[in-house]
Amino acid sequence: MRDFLKSTKFKVLLFFVAFLIGIMVYSVTRGGYSLRGVSFFNTITKPFRSASNGISRGVEDTLDKYTHASEYYEENQQLKEEIGRLNRELTEYEALKAEVEELRELVSIKQEHEDFEYTEACDVIGYITNDPFMSFTIAKGKAEGITPNCPVVTAEGLVGITVDVSEHTSTVRTILSPDLSVAAVNSKSNKDMGIIEGDILSAESGNTRLIHINKGNTLKKGDLIITSGTSGLFPKDYSIGKIKSISPDSNGISDCAVIEPCCDVTRLSSVYVITNFTGKREDLNENKDTP
């Protein structure tokens, strides 16, 4: 270390520092600045000043968080309360919107079928577990005038029929089930009659079947199939579904058609039950209709 202090390099460095200090002192005493000296000095000290400024800002941000923590917490709580209020209002709006849509559906059905007597909209409580034919339970029963063998519908089409009815709930068997038969006919011609009766393969894709169709029929893909109302189990002329395809039945003496229901019975939130209609029979004990 002593050797370095006595060396020429140290003397040169000391001279250079003294020279810079002299320039700065001279500039101040003259009332102005030496642009070259100041610029050079700024260039040398810039990294140190940048680091210092960064540290200063970091310290200020940290101090700000601690000194205003209570204010930020209160503001955060207010924002959470406001979000909660808006979410509640949105939920109420969606419920009101759904109720209005249900009322519109009911008005539409009543205008089209003035002789029908309906319940109010029945909420679907849930689908029956492990039932491939999508039977479900609704939140209305005997107290609302529902009995077994009441047709269940939406504004779009036939859904099924009530089977087990308690005081405040009912089980609905859908048109996908092979245990429900509905006499049906082509809406265009009122001819080409058959029976709506589901099976497991059709139900897997949400479809049902029209069976026992006479050979030589005029049915085409896209034709709308409706209830024929011949036996009094279902009202006449209610939409069921459209034909997707037609093929010979396995018995070889009739045809069979795959029907896509007008109403998606696999995704229901509410339905209507028809408690009375013109031509209804009261002595029916089975969910079987005949053409």
Side-chain angles (χ1 to χ4, degrees):
M1 184 67 179
R2 289 179 181 179
D3 293 339
F4 176 73
L5 294 176
K6 294 178 180 181
S7 66
T8 303
K9 291 182 179 179
F10 176 73
K11 292 177 181 179
V12 172
L13 179 62
L14 188 63
F15 173 79
F16 183 71
V17 171
F19 177 73
L20 290 178
I21 294 173
I23 291 175
M24 289 187 287
V25 172
Y26 175 77
S27 299
V28 172
T29 57
R30 296 287 294 178
Y33 296 93
S34 174
L35 296 178
R36 293 182 179 178
V38 171
S39 176
F40 179 72
F41 182 77
N42 287 340
T43 301
I44 294 175
T45 60
K46 182 177 180 181
F48 302 99
R49 287 186 286 110
S50 298
S52 176
N53 291 336
I55 295 171
S56 176
R57 286 193 296 270
V59 171
E60 289 178 0
D61 291 342
T62 302
L63 290 175
D64 180 72
K65 290 177 182 178
Y66 282 108
T67 56
H68 297 87
S70 60
E71 296 178 12
Y72 293 152
Y73 176 78
E74 184 177 350
E75 182 179 351
N76 187 44
Q77 291 300 111
Q78 291 175 353
L79 290 173
K80 286 183 177 179
E81 291 177 3
E82 180 66 13
I83 292 172
R85 182 184 66 80
L86 292 174
N87 284 336
R88 288 192 297 272
E89 290 182 357
L90 180 61
T91 300
E92 292 173 359
Y93 167 76
E94 292 295 337
L96 182 60
K97 181 180 177 182
E99 184 177 346
V100 170
E101 289 299 323
E102 287 175 353
L103 289 174
R104 285 179 178 173
E105 285 186 4
L106 185 57
V107 170
S108 174
I109 296 173
K110 284 186 174 181
Q111 287 177 342
E112 189 173 353
H113 306 280
E114 296 180 354
D115 61 313
F116 291 2
E117 293 181 12
Y118 295 91
T119 62
E120 295 179 355
C122 306
D123 292 334
V124 175
I125 299 174
Y127 285 88
I128 305 300
T129 305
N130 297 325
D131 180 8
F133 307 110
M134 306 306 294
S135 297
F136 57 89
T137 304
I138 57 175
K140 283 183 171 54
K142 293 178 181 177
E144 290 75 27
I146 298 175
T147 60
N149 296 322
C150 284
V152 179
V153 301
T154 67
E156 288 79 21
L158 181 67
V159 171
I161 201 165
T162 57
V163 284
D164 298 321
V165 181
S166 64
E167 192 66 19
H168 297 291
T169 62
S170 303
T171 300
V172 178
R173 179 176 294 157
T174 74
I175 56 175
L176 305 186
S177 173
D179 295 323
L180 175 61
S181 299
V182 185
V185 65
N186 184 0
S187 64
K188 289 183 178 180
S189 61
N190 277 325
K191 296 179 180 180
D192 300 320
M193 303 181 74
I195 296 291
I196 292 291
E197 190 174 289
D199 66 0
I200 188 65
L201 293 178
S202 300
E204 287 179 355
S205 54
N207 297 320
T208 187
R209 300 182 305 156
L210 181 67
I211 60 176
H212 303 317
I213 308 169
N214 290 332
K215 288 286 190 180
N217 63 80
T218 60
L219 293 172
K220 300 188 299 296
K221 180 179 179 180
D223 283 352
L224 176 65
I225 302 301
I226 59 176
T227 54
S228 65
T230 53
S231 67
L233 183 59
F234 294 93
K236 186 179 180 181
D237 297 337
Y238 209 94
S239 298
I240 299 175
K242 292 185 177 181
I243 295 178
K244 292 186 68 175
S245 63
I246 307 171
S247 60
D249 204 340
S250 57
N251 58 26
I253 59 175
S254 61
D255 287 344
C256 174
V258 176
I259 305 296
E260 180 179 13
C262 293
C263 170
D264 185 356
V265 301
T266 67
R267 294 174 174 267
L268 295 170
S269 58
S270 64
V271 294
Y272 299 96
V273 178
I274 302 176
T275 56
N276 199 11
F277 57 90
T278 300
K280 179 180 178 179
R281 287 178 55 187
E282 303 293 343
D283 58 344
L284 293 170
N285 296 318
E286 295 185 359
N287 307 140
K288 300 291 183 179
D289 206 352
T290 54

